[in-house]
Amino acid sequence: MEPSFNINRPPVSDDEIEKHKNFDALVAQFKKQSLKKARGDESWWKKKSVQYSTVILGVTVVCTVTYQSIQNQNRTQTALKSTNESITTPHTPNTKTKRSRPYVAPKISSINKKKTAYKVNNQKGARIEHTGSTKIDVPKGAFVDAAGAEIIGEVTLEYREFDHLPDIIGAGIPMRHDSAGKTYHLESAGMFEIAANKDGVPVSLKKDLPISVDLASYNKEDRFYQYYLDTVNRNWRYLGADKPVIERSSSLPSSVRAPEIDQTQLTRRTDSVTGRYNAALAKLPSPKKPHQPQKHRAGRPTFVLESSYQEFPELAAFKNVIFEVGPENENYDPALHEVTWSDIKISEGPVKGKNYILHLSYRSRHVKLLVYPVLKGSDYENARAEYEDRMADYNSKLRERNENEERLKAELERKKAELAAAAKRDAAERIAKLTNESRASTRNQMSASVQARRLFQVTNFGIYNSDHPHQLETRSALQPQFVDSETSQSIEPETIYVIDHRRKTVITANDPSRLELPATQTSDYSMCAVRGEDIYTCDKNTLRTVLNAGRTTFPLRKISGGVANMKDFRKTLEL
Amino acid sequence: MAINPHFHHSNEQLREELKIIEAAKRDPEHFAPLYNKYYKQIFNYVYQRMESRESAFDVTGQVFLKALTHLGRYEYKGVPFGSWLYRIAHNEVMQLFRSKKERRAINADISDLRFLCEETESPFFEEYIPALKQLILQLSSQDLQMVEMRFFEKRPFREIAEILEITEVNAKVRMYRIIEKLKKSLSKVKV
């Protein structure tokens, strides 16, 4: 069935739409449907065989899980002697082995971001611009020694930022947060570490003189909270809601030239439209104005000629036309009418269609007279009536043509205006696109194109973070195995990072035997494992295959040569 | 071209929606705010594609019933709930046309056709309308869907991608190809 095509079909009014809305009817229908479905399934579960099978299956599952749990515990007790704390164990602060492991544990030196050192005169304070975007305001007299006395002279302020997940992994910063008995994994919108020392001896901050850090962030969402990493209690401490200040840079970065209207394309389009207009104009019929018959003036001499006047169709239009001799002819002589001329010709006169030259010849005698085509009596009356009709028709056609011409012209002007407006819009869109591209590509430089600024008040040195806590459903991997995907040899990594690409967070397992995996496949995950200076990865596709199959053997690909820098590391992690 | 304003939601609005959805999963009575919010949009989407007004109302009702029935399967993906409803509506109308129970309709305003011509860099004259209609009717069902959503319903590419379950880039590439096809055909049209 071919579809129907409607132009300008009137829409349905809001009142009519409102009349058809009936939520109560919808709910009633839904409930009826659900009841019908339930009744259809009822008999199924009442069967004794089904009930008995369910019980037996349940008992089997419980026994299996208990046995596996006992096996795991035995393995863990021997492994716990030399390994780091596993975040999958219940959080028991008194465990001796946990305290011996550093809380912030960078694994690979090449990807552990270095701090930038700034010199600050404590008596003057300072305004530091880090990478041109983050601003650090140090008030006068902020630094004190262990006894609380103001430091005199220069202090070295050390600062570094962790903009992305690879920075965080590289620095060994834990992203797990326990609160009110629940475990969260943190997604960061910006993190920094700040410290200060005087000649290598750490200093503190005076109580009522915090340092302000105006952190440049590439994330402008407002769902984040501020935290401070408490390395003593080994947890993130909640500081409060984070309210970002959105950067609204409407101007292009200075490195980007503002695109102008593409005149060439605009001209080309305009010419194309004008060409079509001219073509359409040429197709319009051009009516011809009829010739007005002239009446013979009484007393004026005339010549009657026998000719079809094929050369002059305007003469052929009139019946019985005669030629009146114009008064301007000084050489006219009435005796000319008595001569039997051997040759008589008519040619076009000075005013086309109005007068003619009459050529009279006899032997060597030639006479030229300026003559006017005229009509006499009823011939004139008839010609006149016919002329009036033709004139009316001509005027009508002329009017029609003029209207069409006006319409085409108006269409042309409108089209040209639309093309100009489109070109202007296009230029504006290109500016916006360039601005966004520039922002995206220079986010590490954090210049004038940052997305937002996050304001922190630093009262203690350490690591501050703008985070969104995610409660991830995880499950323990039963006896996970790790093998080199190329050599098939077994690997015993020291630390495993399971990266959640959608939520931009990471689950860290410092004890790989207690690996926690995502319970549901609602995101993309990849894995990174570290052993010594060796790095291994399991990419998103491979990990998805393993998780979907319910397997616990993870093929890992070794990054040969390791990673030289953060750029390589990000690429390795598919981030 | 004014973009349909209903799609874009702030984070706050998305969070609010999610709360309602979670509540509705437990008790269907809580579905009312979503029903009221999206009813008109879904009806307009369906009626855009159907000849009969009454049938369009029936189909709209079916869409919401299906949504309520399968709400447990709904997964939040960072986009408005409406996207999921549009997908259900899309499948419902396609099913009707496949079973030939209803006749497919295409509805456009003159300004929509003018805009379409401009995108193909062709001038628009009213004399072109019959030829333009023919060209549109000759489009494949997929291409027609794209043209309708972009030019007649004025949806942004992101929304189109969500409804058709393709990526935004894919949606733009498809649209570009359709425009090129139409441009070629329109250049051969003589008034």
Side-chain angles (χ1 to χ4, degrees), chain A residues 47-182:
Chain A
K47 288 182 186 166
K48 288 261 185 265
S49 57
V50 170
Q51 287 175 347
Y52 288 145
S53 304
T54 309
V55 168
I56 292 165
L57 183 65
V59 167
T60 310
V61 165
V62 166
C63 290
T64 309
V65 167
T66 309
Y67 174 73
Q68 291 292 349
S69 169
I70 293 167
Q71 290 290 96
N72 279 342
Q73 272 184 12
N74 289 339
R75 198 182 301 121
T76 304
Q77 270 163 14
T78 43
L80 263 178
K81 281 180 193 169
S82 55
T83 52
N84 290 325
E85 173 195 76
S86 163
I87 63 158
T88 63
T89 55
H91 190 64
T92 48
N94 294 326
T95 307
K96 194 177 173 184
T97 47
K98 273 189 178 184
R99 292 253 183 255
S100 64
R101 255 198 322 269
Y103 189 40
V104 178
K107 300 294 177 190
I108 304 156
S109 52
S110 61
I111 51 168
N112 186 12
K113 219 170 176 182
K114 304 276 178 287
K115 293 188 191 96
T116 305
Y118 298 98
K119 297 287 183 197
V120 178
N121 185 316
N122 197 26
Q123 278 62 57
K124 289 183 182 172
R127 180 126 220 257
I128 298 165
E129 289 202 2
H130 180 72
T131 66
S133 279
T134 292
K135 292 169 182 53
I136 306 167
D137 278 317
V138 183
K140 277 189 266 187
F143 301 112
V144 295
D145 62 19
E150 185 176 312
I151 302 275
I152 305 300
E154 224 170 48
V155 170
T156 302
L157 183 79
E158 290 180 321
Y159 181 85
R160 61 175 173 166
E161 284 178 4
F162 311 96
D163 299 316
H164 309 289
L165 214 44
D167 298 334
I168 296 167
I169 294 171
I173 296 171
M175 293 303 278
R176 172 183 158 142
H177 170 57
D178 294 311
S179 173
K182 290 193 177 140

Side-chain angles (χ1 to χ4, degrees), chain A residues 436-503:
Chain A
N436 287 335
E437 279 172 3
S438 178
R439 280 182 188 157
S441 69
T442 58
R443 67 179 177 204
N444 279 334
Q445 296 169 28
M446 292 295 184
S447 65
S449 49
V450 296
Q451 296 275 327
R453 315 194 72 76
R454 298 181 184 274
L455 307 172
F456 288 82
Q457 294 298 300
V458 172
T459 50
N460 290 302
F461 291 120
I463 296 176
Y464 288 78
N465 198 357
S466 178
D467 283 306
H468 179 85
H470 291 282
Q471 207 174 354
L472 303 180
E473 276 182 49
T474 58
R475 58 177 173 86
S476 296
L478 299 174
Q479 296 180 311
Q481 308 285 329
F482 304 93
V483 294
D484 188 317
S485 58
E486 281 170 27
T487 64
S488 302
Q489 281 188 336
S490 174
I491 303 168
E492 287 183 9
E494 290 156 4
T495 310
I496 299 276
Y497 303 97
V498 176
I499 297 158
D500 183 332
H501 288 258
R502 186 166 74 84
R503 294 185 191 86

